Amino acid sequence: MSDSKVTLKTLMRHTGLSLGTVSRALQDGPEVRRETRELVKAAARELGYTPNLAGVKLRTGKTYTLSIVLPVENAEQDFSDSGFMALVSGLHAALAGTFYSLVVQPELPDEDPVAGLRKLVEARRVDGLVLTQTRPQDERIRYLLAQDFPFVSYGRSELAQAHPWYDTDHEDMAYRATRRLIARGHRRIAMLNPPAELMYSQHRDRGHRRALQEAGLAQDPALTRHSGLSASDGRRLVLELARLEPRPTAFVCANEYGALGALSAFAELGWQAGREAVVVATDDSNVSAFFVPPLSTYYASLHGAGRQLGQLLLRRLDGEPLEQLRLLEQAELIERQSDALQEGQA
């Protein structure tokens, strides 16, 4: 059936619903049950219904545009954690079959982040937002809650007021990584963490400290370093840490770029991963399987995170209570090395 022949009346006959219900369901009307909205949208996809989106926007006052706010680092910097293309891809997949399109809003390093949001929110350029790189007292989240504007954050905060979020359990990840390395004989474990002001960096610190405390080991502050997580950061930090006495025998990197830089530093030092010291990474693309040697990683898919964020935001737009829109997931350990302390390591 061609698109030109599929009308609201076609959907009405196909679903057995009234014309008004079909129309309101396609507009995400909160008075229509979610099951009914999903039924109508599935029928629209099956039959190839294409709305006059300009008319829909005019009638509803919606833009049918969502935005993800992504930090923009120094454009001349090497690989870092700011690409997030897999995250965008997952968001796009979550919006498939809806009327919503996705745009990327850059957050510049020297820009007031709340001022950037005001341009989108107060001019109603978008219907909802996805935030990344949250902070404990995140002013962006505080602003959006005050505006009662639909959003979901990739990461948590310490704000008392509930807000929608999706997060990987970085505290658990760092706890498990540290505990595993301790069990394999390591006592000098270096953490290459994100900037200290970010919420997930603080979660990683908590997990690492908890594992050390349970093992009766003192935490050496010199072994925890914070950076922008680029490959050059990983290389620089490992070279610095290698000069400590006694030096670390294990390095836990917060992303695959930092791990790549760590291996570059190992080559410069004449070390071999798994012999002089071990490298464990947090990974979002499984690229660590192709490093030489392949590294044990705690895998958390950015594409999967994007899907979850998109679904949570759609549910927020449907009017679900904020308290129900929170999801914490554990990373999966992919063990490619024994990572045991070897004879001759410091």
PDB file of all heavy atoms in Angstrom, residues 249-265:
ATOM      1  N   THR A 249      51.766  -2.047  40.056  1.00  0.00           N
ATOM      2  CA  THR A 249      51.848  -3.279  39.260  1.00  0.00           C
ATOM      3  C   THR A 249      50.580  -3.506  38.452  1.00  0.00           C
ATOM      4  O   THR A 249      50.494  -4.461  37.678  1.00  0.00           O
ATOM      5  CB  THR A 249      52.078  -4.497  40.172  1.00  0.00           C
ATOM      6  OG1 THR A 249      50.979  -4.614  41.092  1.00  0.00           O
ATOM      7  CG2 THR A 249      53.389  -4.360  40.931  1.00  0.00           C
ATOM      8  N   ALA A 250      49.580  -2.628  38.645  1.00  0.00           N
ATOM      9  CA  ALA A 250      48.330  -2.749  37.893  1.00  0.00           C
ATOM     10  C   ALA A 250      47.776  -1.354  37.645  1.00  0.00           C
ATOM     11  O   ALA A 250      47.874  -0.465  38.498  1.00  0.00           O
ATOM     12  CB  ALA A 250      47.316  -3.600  38.646  1.00  0.00           C
ATOM     13  N   PHE A 251      47.185  -1.167  36.449  1.00  0.00           N
ATOM     14  CA  PHE A 251      46.596   0.108  36.057  1.00  0.00           C
ATOM     15  C   PHE A 251      45.156  -0.150  35.612  1.00  0.00           C
ATOM     16  O   PHE A 251      44.918  -0.933  34.685  1.00  0.00           O
ATOM     17  CB  PHE A 251      47.378   0.745  34.908  1.00  0.00           C
ATOM     18  CG  PHE A 251      48.808   1.072  35.249  1.00  0.00           C
ATOM     19  CD1 PHE A 251      49.801   0.098  35.178  1.00  0.00           C
ATOM     20  CD2 PHE A 251      49.158   2.353  35.657  1.00  0.00           C
ATOM     21  CE1 PHE A 251      51.113   0.394  35.481  1.00  0.00           C
ATOM     22  CE2 PHE A 251      50.482   2.659  35.973  1.00  0.00           C
ATOM     23  CZ  PHE A 251      51.457   1.677  35.889  1.00  0.00           C
ATOM     24  N   VAL A 252      44.191   0.499  36.266  1.00  0.00           N
ATOM     25  CA  VAL A 252      42.779   0.368  35.899  1.00  0.00           C
ATOM     26  C   VAL A 252      42.386   1.648  35.164  1.00  0.00           C
ATOM     27  O   VAL A 252      42.316   2.726  35.764  1.00  0.00           O
ATOM     28  CB  VAL A 252      41.884   0.156  37.134  1.00  0.00           C
ATOM     29  CG1 VAL A 252      40.430  -0.003  36.702  1.00  0.00           C
ATOM     30  CG2 VAL A 252      42.340  -1.073  37.912  1.00  0.00           C
ATOM     31  N   CYS A 253      42.147   1.533  33.873  1.00  0.00           N
ATOM     32  CA  CYS A 253      41.855   2.694  33.027  1.00  0.00           C
ATOM     33  C   CYS A 253      40.343   2.860  32.861  1.00  0.00           C
ATOM     34  O   CYS A 253      39.626   1.877  32.661  1.00  0.00           O
ATOM     35  CB  CYS A 253      42.511   2.531  31.659  1.00  0.00           C
ATOM     36  SG  CYS A 253      44.307   2.311  31.736  1.00  0.00           S
ATOM     37  N   ALA A 254      39.889   4.121  32.900  1.00  0.00           N
ATOM     38  CA  ALA A 254      38.451   4.390  32.869  1.00  0.00           C
ATOM     39  C   ALA A 254      37.853   4.301  31.470  1.00  0.00           C
ATOM     40  O   ALA A 254      36.633   4.346  31.329  1.00  0.00           O
ATOM     41  CB  ALA A 254      38.157   5.764  33.473  1.00  0.00           C
ATOM     42  N   ASN A 255      38.672   4.198  30.444  1.00  0.00           N
ATOM     43  CA  ASN A 255      38.132   3.972  29.104  1.00  0.00           C
ATOM     44  C   ASN A 255      39.207   3.331  28.231  1.00  0.00           C
ATOM     45  O   ASN A 255      40.357   3.175  28.633  1.00  0.00           O
ATOM     46  CB  ASN A 255      37.597   5.268  28.479  1.00  0.00           C
ATOM     47  CG  ASN A 255      38.703   6.238  28.093  1.00  0.00           C
ATOM     48  OD1 ASN A 255      39.866   6.061  28.434  1.00  0.00           O
ATOM     49  ND2 ASN A 255      38.330   7.285  27.368  1.00  0.00           N
ATOM     50  N   GLU A 256      38.811   2.965  27.022  1.00  0.00           N
ATOM     51  CA  GLU A 256      39.726   2.243  26.135  1.00  0.00           C
ATOM     52  C   GLU A 256      40.816   3.154  25.568  1.00  0.00           C
ATOM     53  O   GLU A 256      41.916   2.693  25.248  1.00  0.00           O
ATOM     54  CB  GLU A 256      38.938   1.603  24.987  1.00  0.00           C
ATOM     55  CG  GLU A 256      38.148   2.604  24.176  1.00  0.00           C
ATOM     56  CD  GLU A 256      36.929   1.986  23.521  1.00  0.00           C
ATOM     57  OE1 GLU A 256      36.458   0.975  24.018  1.00  0.00           O
ATOM     58  OE2 GLU A 256      36.462   2.550  22.516  1.00  0.00           O
ATOM     59  N   TYR A 257      40.542   4.461  25.457  1.00  0.00           N
ATOM     60  CA  TYR A 257      41.566   5.373  24.956  1.00  0.00           C
ATOM     61  C   TYR A 257      42.700   5.511  25.968  1.00  0.00           C
ATOM     62  O   TYR A 257      43.877   5.533  25.602  1.00  0.00           O
ATOM     63  CB  TYR A 257      40.957   6.736  24.645  1.00  0.00           C
ATOM     64  CG  TYR A 257      39.815   6.671  23.665  1.00  0.00           C
ATOM     65  CD1 TYR A 257      38.517   6.985  24.055  1.00  0.00           C
ATOM     66  CD2 TYR A 257      40.036   6.281  22.355  1.00  0.00           C
ATOM     67  CE1 TYR A 257      37.472   6.913  23.156  1.00  0.00           C
ATOM     68  CE2 TYR A 257      38.983   6.197  21.449  1.00  0.00           C
ATOM     69  CZ  TYR A 257      37.699   6.518  21.859  1.00  0.00           C
ATOM     70  OH  TYR A 257      36.658   6.430  20.981  1.00  0.00           O
ATOM     71  N   GLY A 258      42.326   5.645  27.239  1.00  0.00           N
ATOM     72  CA  GLY A 258      43.352   5.686  28.274  1.00  0.00           C
ATOM     73  C   GLY A 258      44.172   4.405  28.299  1.00  0.00           C
ATOM     74  O   GLY A 258      45.390   4.436  28.511  1.00  0.00           O
ATOM     75  N   ALA A 259      43.505   3.263  28.075  1.00  0.00           N
ATOM     76  CA  ALA A 259      44.224   1.988  28.041  1.00  0.00           C
ATOM     77  C   ALA A 259      45.174   1.919  26.851  1.00  0.00           C
ATOM     78  O   ALA A 259      46.286   1.391  26.956  1.00  0.00           O
ATOM     79  CB  ALA A 259      43.226   0.832  27.983  1.00  0.00           C
ATOM     80  N   LEU A 260      44.747   2.463  25.721  1.00  0.00           N
ATOM     81  CA  LEU A 260      45.621   2.508  24.547  1.00  0.00           C
ATOM     82  C   LEU A 260      46.867   3.341  24.852  1.00  0.00           C
ATOM     83  O   LEU A 260      47.998   2.949  24.526  1.00  0.00           O
ATOM     84  CB  LEU A 260      44.867   3.101  23.357  1.00  0.00           C
ATOM     85  CG  LEU A 260      45.650   3.262  22.061  1.00  0.00           C
ATOM     86  CD1 LEU A 260      46.122   1.919  21.535  1.00  0.00           C
ATOM     87  CD2 LEU A 260      44.793   3.975  21.014  1.00  0.00           C
ATOM     88  N   GLY A 261      46.665   4.483  25.515  1.00  0.00           N
ATOM     89  CA  GLY A 261      47.808   5.306  25.906  1.00  0.00           C
ATOM     90  C   GLY A 261      48.705   4.606  26.901  1.00  0.00           C
ATOM     91  O   GLY A 261      49.939   4.743  26.853  1.00  0.00           O
ATOM     92  N   ALA A 262      48.092   3.831  27.818  1.00  0.00           N
ATOM     93  CA  ALA A 262      48.879   3.075  28.791  1.00  0.00           C
ATOM     94  C   ALA A 262      49.786   2.071  28.095  1.00  0.00           C
ATOM     95  O   ALA A 262      50.972   1.933  28.444  1.00  0.00           O
ATOM     96  CB  ALA A 262      47.948   2.358  29.772  1.00  0.00           C
ATOM     97  N   LEU A 263      49.267   1.385  27.095  1.00  0.00           N
ATOM     98  CA  LEU A 263      50.088   0.414  26.358  1.00  0.00           C
ATOM     99  C   LEU A 263      51.205   1.113  25.595  1.00  0.00           C
ATOM    100  O   LEU A 263      52.307   0.566  25.446  1.00  0.00           O
ATOM    101  CB  LEU A 263      49.212  -0.388  25.402  1.00  0.00           C
ATOM    102  CG  LEU A 263      48.220  -1.362  26.062  1.00  0.00           C
ATOM    103  CD1 LEU A 263      47.404  -2.086  24.999  1.00  0.00           C
ATOM    104  CD2 LEU A 263      48.946  -2.366  26.947  1.00  0.00           C
ATOM    105  N   SER A 264      50.934   2.322  25.102  1.00  0.00           N
ATOM    106  CA  SER A 264      51.993   3.087  24.442  1.00  0.00           C
ATOM    107  C   SER A 264      53.108   3.411  25.434  1.00  0.00           C
ATOM    108  O   SER A 264      54.300   3.311  25.103  1.00  0.00           O
ATOM    109  CB  SER A 264      51.405   4.377  23.862  1.00  0.00           C
ATOM    110  OG  SER A 264      52.414   5.194  23.328  1.00  0.00           O
ATOM    111  N   ALA A 265      52.727   3.786  26.662  1.00  0.00           N
ATOM    112  CA  ALA A 265      53.735   4.052  27.695  1.00  0.00           C
ATOM    113  C   ALA A 265      54.514   2.790  28.036  1.00  0.00           C
ATOM    114  O   ALA A 265      55.733   2.836  28.251  1.00  0.00           O
ATOM    115  CB  ALA A 265      53.047   4.607  28.944  1.00  0.00           C
TER     116      ALA A 265
END
